[in-house]
Amino acid sequence: CSNSAKKPVLTLFTKKPCPLCDEAKEVLEPYKRRFILQEVDITLPENSAWNDKYKYDIPVFHLNGKFLMKHRVDIKKFEDQLKKLELQ
């Protein structure tokens, strides 16, 4: 279906271990068919810029490349942004 090509990309900036990230992924589980989850390990050398920016804030989420939320999943905000993208 042509819709799958239009799925928004949710980027999770994370590192291991990250209990808050695991918790966030559980909260997002019911929505997982509506977006593509892309995880970025900020401890990898190629991600050092993200590490500098977010090392004290993970988990951090970007939706389609734009900052969305950090620390905890804000379901209301996430749903609103997801709906907006789905309606485009």
Side-chain angles (χ1 to χ4, degrees):
C1 107
S2 65
N3 205 12
S4 66
K6 298 294 247 183
K7 269 192 201 172
V9 175
L10 185 69
T11 307
L12 164 59
F13 294 89
T14 184
K15 66 182 179 190
K16 298 208 178 347
C18 177
L20 283 178
C21 301
D22 298 336
E23 200 178 291
K25 283 191 276 190
E26 278 177 39
V27 173
L28 293 167
E29 186 70 19
Y31 300 90
K32 72 173 192 243
R33 285 190 300 300
R34 292 171 62 193
F35 65 88
I36 296 158
L37 181 66
Q38 176 186 16
E39 290 188 43
V40 174
D41 183 339
I42 64 170
T43 62
L44 297 175
E46 65 267 26
N47 297 327
S48 63
W50 292 118
N51 190 35
D52 294 345
K53 191 169 185 178
Y54 291 144
K55 67 179 150 211
Y56 303 115
D57 287 321
I58 61 167
V60 175
F61 292 92
H62 286 196
L63 190 60
N64 279 359
K66 288 196 199 95
F67 175 82
L68 182 64
M69 55 196 169
K70 65 184 180 182
H71 303 152
R72 297 234 179 273
V73 173
D74 178 339
I75 279 296
K76 172 107 181 71
K77 188 175 193 181
F78 177 66
E79 276 186 352
D80 290 349
Q81 292 303 313
L82 204 54
K83 273 195 196 115
K84 259 186 213 158
L85 290 170
E86 288 167 348
L87 293 172
Q88 282 177 1

